[in-house]
Amino acid sequence: QVRLVESGGGLVQAGQSLRLSCQASGRTFGYYTMGWFRQAPGKEREFVAIVNFGGAKSYADSVKGRFTISRENAKTTLWLQMNSVKPEDTAVYYCNAARQSGSTWGVDLDFAPWGQGTQVTVSS
């Protein structure tokens, strides 16, 4: 059974940095585009960033220039470097495969079910 395990979240002050990790077990990333999503309290889960097999990346406008996504295919690990965090970045962060949906990206649950996510809380 494929599992996704996110880690690295925590409580930080605005302007600080965090590095999130996502480890997949049970299968490799293969040719899947992998991404980070987040869900803030009372809001729907939203796209944050993706990276495809070739290393091409795309970011939500709200995080562009502050966050960096990367992947290590052999280790089936995905990272999200979060710099200059803001209170509005507070959310549970999830990783999973992604597929393009119009001008944005949605989850591709053919890869794996959602993991438990990792909580990021940014204080002002």
Side-chain angles (χ1 to χ4, degrees):
Q1 184 176 357
V2 183
R3 282 188 68 210
L4 295 168
V5 179
E6 301 91 348
S7 62
L11 173 62
V12 294
Q13 292 187 332
Q16 292 185 332
S17 298
L18 275 176
R19 183 176 171 87
L20 305 185
S21 298
C22 167
Q23 181 69 50
S25 61
R27 70 180 302 174
T28 65
F29 290 159
Y31 291 102
Y32 278 92
T33 292
M34 297 301 297
W36 285 96
F37 301 83
R38 67 185 182 187
Q39 187 167 20
K43 295 188 176 182
E44 294 188 353
R45 203 167 319 201
E46 64 176 4
F47 156 72
V48 175
I50 62 94
V51 56
N52 72 11
F53 177 78
K57 304 172 185 180
S58 181
Y59 298 92
D61 288 343
S62 59
V63 306
K64 203 172 294 183
R66 299 187 297 120
F67 291 7
T68 302
I69 188 172
S70 57
R71 67 190 275 169
E72 172 58 66
N73 292 325
K75 295 182 178 179
T76 61
T77 305
L78 187 72
W79 295 276
L80 185 70
Q81 178 66 42
M82 305 170 62
N83 296 332
S84 303
V85 296
K86 303 176 181 179
E88 49 264 44
D89 294 323
T90 295
V92 179
Y93 285 71
Y94 303 86
C95 66
N96 213 321
R99 61 175 59 172
Q100 195 153 21
S101 177
S103 61
T104 187
W105 292 83
V107 66
D108 184 351
L109 291 175
D110 287 344
F111 179 79
W114 289 111
Q116 83 289 348
T118 186
Q119 175 71 50
V120 172
T121 303
V122 182
S123 63
S124 57

